[in-house]
Amino acid sequence: MTVKVSLPKLRRMMALYFEGRPQTEIASRLGLDQSTVSLHATRFKARANEQGLLPAAKEVGVLNEVDSLRSLSVELLRSNLSVEEAREGVNILDQLQRLSIRTED
């Protein structure tokens, strides 16, 4: 049986999803089962494939999140960085912080 999810809860779920939160975390935060989160993420992807990403994002109310991801992609492209290179840079910054080394240094 599919659990009905209100539109505000669906919007919050998809916003958290686009933040990169794990489905288990999203489910816990919203009082849902992980399979419900998975189902709605899969449905969103199918809608995006059928009607395009922007119309699907607008329908669910996550257009700002999609725009933010696009802006990030543009910045990576302008910087001539791949997603993997950006991920490595974030890991390096994280390690520096753990060692109490300021990024300015």
Side-chain angles (χ1 to χ4, degrees):
M1 182 174 91
T2 303
V3 175
K4 279 224 170 209
V5 176
S6 68
L7 187 55
K9 192 174 268 195
L10 177 61
R11 286 180 174 153
R12 183 70 183 133
M13 177 194 311
M14 295 310 299
L16 291 167
Y17 179 79
F18 279 110
E19 283 180 11
R21 305 288 179 185
Q23 290 183 7
T24 52
E25 179 185 330
I26 296 168
S28 176
R29 280 190 184 193
L30 300 178
L32 299 169
D33 191 72
Q34 181 272 327
S35 63
T36 300
V37 176
S38 178
L39 173 71
H40 286 284
T42 300
R43 284 181 179 172
F44 177 83
K45 290 175 194 176
R47 272 197 308 275
N49 282 334
E50 291 170 7
Q51 58 193 20
L53 179 59
L54 294 179
K58 188 174 182 181
E59 178 183 320
V60 177
V62 291
L63 196 52
N64 288 342
E65 288 80 359
V66 170
D67 284 341
S68 292
L69 291 171
R70 168 113 172 84
S71 294
L72 176 60
S73 295
V74 169
E75 279 300 312
L76 289 174
L77 184 62
R78 285 183 182 155
S79 300
N80 201 28
L81 287 173
S82 68
V83 171
E84 185 55 39
E85 289 168 330
R87 184 178 293 120
E88 288 175 21
V90 169
N91 287 335
I92 290 168
L93 288 173
D94 185 48
Q95 293 298 323
L96 290 172
Q97 286 178 337
R98 288 182 189 184
L99 295 170
S100 299
I101 298 173
R102 297 180 316 169
T103 55
E104 303 84 42
D105 295 339

